[in-house]
DNA sequence: TCTGGGGTCCTAGGACCC
DNA sequence: TCTGGGGTCCTAGGACCC
């Protein structure tokens, strides 16, 4: 038995904790570059703002309907997330943190009324952290996710589902008849693992609701679609196929990619950006004690512009596995040289570290540069320490350019709120 | 003027091998 | 007329997730 604890409109809820005046009004949180809406309050959803809606298309709602837009403040959200997760863990014996606002909790061996217990945890999170959340309970992770969706929808849209399911919904405690009628009222695209493409295909075959989907034979699903969808259907039928991940697996790839604040035309500007991305990626890699064997770099124009399009990536193998910023940046820059074409307005670039391994797995080879490698690794540790202590970018590669107006590629972020919980300067001040 | 970032898994197809 | 079969590895791309 699993529970899924999921913060409501998480980023917006984080902002509201520190600005209660945002309560009750339409609020969106914008992606980098203030590009599009990545979180919406219920009031914003009611205005018809879609997930991912570009800001310039909904801007007029600020005047028309009092919509408030904020730049994303991921430092704040990450910290609020930690607080929420530690309370959610109390629901059961094991927890898997699935995303910044969601965690699965294993409920087996928990006695007593699960719904009552979930309500208690929910109010504790609301009271101690300030984040409203919903809890879904089911015999598989996919059913717990679905239950969570039902709990949220029942709360947000009265009349959509029976009102006693709002906030906490336990699918496992329902009669078959009640479950059936709820599945019949739920569209296939609400299921975890069924996205736009697959739901379109299912609907074309007359499969509209969860009730329709659950009746299908897994073998048919597999031959018509894939093993992935087959697993999803089995999970909906109550057969667990996806286990709780107990210890977070190390990442298999690490990426740093950004859209630019404005179009970039020159190679040397791309090189600055790519150096910066490579440094950030290498830093993440060292944080998980990993080494990379390959470095991928890509550049592309904006698919939304009518301009000539260009998009290319290239993978450069490293001579030996490495987590060294200079070594990774060099590989990325070598790749960039080879794929760059002049005459395009570049909108985005990225660096990905692939084929990762743990630093302990390094092959023992006869190596005349052994000592200098040790020195490099000490230097990297010092670099990370200084950047951690004095702020990101205190020390960086010379080719990454300097902060400020010279970096034409840096992103726009004009609506960020203070880092209330992670920066002393931004600590809220209580006034008497 | 203006459209995010970071992941995972699976599949198809090509190259290569015996 | 007619051109094997099976395996592995790699890459690109699709689909999904939040």
């Amino acid at each position: 038995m699993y529970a899924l604890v999921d913060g409501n409109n998480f980023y917006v809820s984080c902002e509201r904790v520190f600005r209660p005046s945002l309560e009750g009004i339409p609020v969106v949180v914008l992606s980098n570059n203030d590009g599009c809406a990545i979180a919406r309050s219920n009031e914003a959803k009611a205005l018809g703002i879609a997930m991912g809606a570009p800001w310039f298309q909904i801007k007029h709602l600020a005047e028309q309907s009092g919509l408030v837009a904020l730049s994303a403040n991921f430092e704040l959200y990450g910290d609020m997330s930690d607080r929420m997760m530690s309370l959610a863990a109390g629901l059961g014996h094991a927890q898997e943190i699935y995303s910044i606002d969601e965690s699965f909790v294993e409920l087996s061996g928990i006695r007593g009324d699960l719904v009552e217990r979930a309500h208690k945890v929910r109010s504790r999170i609301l009271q101690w952290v300030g984040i409203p959340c919903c809890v879904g309970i089911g015999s598989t992770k996919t059913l717990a996710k679905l239950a969570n969706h039902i709990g949220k929808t029942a709360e947000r849209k009265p009349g959509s589902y029976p009102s006693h399911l709002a906030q906490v919904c336990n699918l496992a405690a329902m009669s078959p008849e009640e479950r059936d009628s709820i599945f019949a009222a739920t569209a296939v695209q609400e299921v975890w693992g069924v996205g736009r493409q697959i739901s379109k295909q299912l609907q074309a075959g007359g499969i509209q609701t969860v009730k329709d989907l659950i009746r299908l034979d897994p073998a048919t699903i597999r031959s018509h679609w894939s093993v992935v969808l087959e697993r999803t259907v089995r999970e909906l039928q109550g057969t667990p196929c996806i286990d709780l991940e107990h210890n977070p697996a190390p990442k298999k790839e690490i990426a740093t990619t950004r859209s630019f604040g404005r179009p970039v035309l020159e190679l040397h500007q791309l090189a600055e950006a790519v150096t910066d991305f490579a440094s950030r990626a290498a830093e993440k890699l060292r944080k998980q004690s990993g080494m990379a064997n390959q470095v991928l770099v890509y550049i592309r124009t904006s698919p939304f512009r009518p301009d000539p399009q260009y998009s290319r990536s290239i993978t450069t193998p490293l001579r030996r596995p490495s987590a060294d910023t200079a070594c990774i940046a060099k590989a990325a820059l070598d790749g960039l040289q080879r794929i760059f074409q002049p005459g395009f307005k570049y909108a985005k670039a990225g660096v990905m570290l692939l084929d990762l391994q743990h630093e302990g797995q390094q092959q023992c080879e006869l190596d005349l540069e052994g000592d200098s490698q040790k020195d490099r690794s000490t230097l990297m540790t010092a670099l990370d320490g200084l950047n951690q202590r004095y702020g990101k970018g205190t020390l960086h590669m010379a080719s990454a350019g300097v902060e400020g107006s010279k970096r034409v590629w840096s992103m726009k972020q004009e609506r960020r709120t203070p880092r209330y919980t992670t920066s002393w300067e931004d600590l809220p001040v209580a006034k008497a």
Side-chain angles (χ1 to χ4, degrees):
Chain A
M1 193 67 61
Y2 298 94
L4 180 80
V5 186
D6 188 332
N8 300 353
N9 315 329
F10 186 67
Y11 298 163
V12 170
S13 297
C14 289
E15 298 286 354
R16 280 177 168 171
V17 171
F18 295 92
R19 279 170 70 177
S21 62
L22 295 174
E23 213 64 58
I25 63 172
V27 180
V28 293
V29 170
L30 301 176
S31 64
N32 282 339
N33 283 316
D34 296 338
C36 50
I38 52 172
R40 305 157 293 152
S41 72
N42 288 349
E43 300 78 10
K45 288 176 188 170
L47 286 178
I49 297 171
M51 184 64 173
W55 169 236
F56 73 92
Q57 283 176 8
I58 54 173
K59 224 177 194 166
H60 63 278
L61 294 172
E63 296 228 330
Q64 259 175 40
S65 315
L67 174 66
V68 172
L70 303 168
S71 299
N73 186 346
F74 292 111
E75 238 177 275
L76 173 67
Y77 311 149
D79 191 62
M80 297 296 282
S81 171
D82 293 344
R83 296 164 194 232
M84 181 178 100
M85 293 305 174
S86 63
L87 293 180
L91 193 53
H93 295 310
Q95 180 187 39
E96 172 191 343
I97 295 173
Y98 176 69
S99 75
I100 194 160
D101 68 332
E102 285 173 72
S103 67
F104 288 101
V105 180
E106 165 91 63
L107 293 178
S108 51
I110 298 293
R111 295 167 175 275
D113 185 341
L114 292 177
V115 169
E116 198 187 314
R117 189 183 171 92
H119 271 295
K120 276 191 187 145
V121 168
R122 190 194 165 274
S123 15
R124 188 177 305 158
I125 293 173
L126 185 60
Q127 197 184 342
W128 294 7
V129 189
I131 301 290
C133 60
C134 289
V135 184
I137 301 171
S139 57
T140 65
K141 285 166 88 175
T142 303
L143 286 168
K145 282 280 275 186
L146 193 62
N148 188 280
H149 165 79
I150 292 162
K152 281 201 161 139
T153 311
E155 180 181 20
R156 189 162 65 87
K157 295 186 191 165
S160 55
Y161 292 106
S163 61
H164 71 276
L165 300 177
Q167 299 177 349
V168 174
C169 168
N170 183 356
L171 278 168
M174 283 178 194
S175 69
E177 294 74 30
E178 189 182 4
R179 200 162 35 217
D180 238 36
S181 80
I182 282 171
F183 285 169
T186 307
V188 279
Q189 61 258 42
E190 308 300 347
V191 173
W192 187 38
V194 179
R196 285 238 320 268
Q197 300 304 316
I198 290 173
S199 69
K200 218 194 295 171
Q201 292 161 18
L202 287 169
Q203 280 167 27
I207 299 146
Q208 308 276 354
T209 68
V210 177
K211 191 181 174 189
D212 302 330
L213 183 60
I214 221 165
R215 273 199 295 235
L216 294 185
D217 165 39
T220 313
I221 295 279
R222 186 180 197 140
S223 62
H224 281 63
W225 284 275
S226 67
V227 292
V228 185
L229 191 63
E230 180 194 3
R231 220 158 31 211
T232 296
V233 171
R234 284 188 194 277
E235 282 241 324
L236 284 175
Q237 293 167 345
T239 309
C241 304
I242 309 171
D243 290 334
L244 197 80
E245 300 273 358
H246 286 90
N247 26 15
K251 301 263 177 282
K252 295 176 175 173
E253 50 189 68
I254 286 174
T256 299
T257 67
R258 289 280 179 286
S259 297
F260 303 132
R262 54 187 120 136
V264 167
L265 289 100
E266 308 287 335
L267 176 59
H268 73 89
Q269 293 169 336
L270 285 174
E272 272 184 25
V274 162
T275 307
D276 184 58
F277 300 165
S279 316
R280 289 168 189 260
E283 214 177 299
K284 292 185 207 168
L285 180 63
R286 292 194 290 272
K287 218 167 259 172
Q288 73 165 35
S289 302
M291 301 186 113
N293 282 285
Q294 306 200 64
V295 178
L296 179 147
V297 57
Y298 79 84
I299 49 176
R300 64 156 228 224
T301 52
S302 168
F304 301 105
R305 310 304 315 161
D307 309 320
Q309 297 290 309
Y310 180 74
S311 165
R312 241 198 109 182
S313 70
I314 190 168
T315 306
T316 308
L318 298 174
R319 273 207 321 285
R320 59 168 70 82
S322 174
D324 186 303
T325 293
C327 173
I328 286 167
K330 182 178 182 306
L333 289 171
D334 285 349
L336 175 65
Q337 293 271 1
R338 284 193 275 161
I339 59 176
F340 175 77
Q341 294 284 341
F344 291 99
K345 294 182 187 166
Y346 292 98
K348 187 174 181 181
V351 172
M352 294 170 74
L353 308 181
L354 310 172
D355 201 354
L356 306 186
Q357 64 182 64
H358 193 265
E359 60 185 4
Q361 290 172 331
Q362 194 180 178
Q363 276 201 345
C364 249
E365 56 180 278
L366 181 61
D367 182 6
L368 298 174
E369 297 168 281
D371 277 347
S372 79
Q373 269 193 57
K374 252 177 251 155
D375 291 346
R376 294 291 313 178
S377 144
T378 311
L379 175 64
M380 287 302 120
T381 308
L383 184 78
D384 291 342
L386 285 167
N387 283 335
Q388 156 110 51
R389 184 154 171 202
Y390 298 109
K392 277 179 190 160
T394 300
L395 275 186
H396 53 78
M397 305 298 295
S399 55
V402 280
E403 298 272 354
S405 55
K406 279 181 79 184
R407 294 165 108 183
V408 298
W409 48 274
S410 61
M411 68 184 183
K412 282 188 302 198
Q413 212 181 18
E414 289 157 1
R415 303 159 172 271
R416 210 203 70 232
T417 52
R419 299 178 168 104
Y420 299 108
T421 63
T422 56
S423 167
W424 288 114
E425 292 105 80
D426 292 355
L427 201 66
V429 178
K431 292 194 181 127

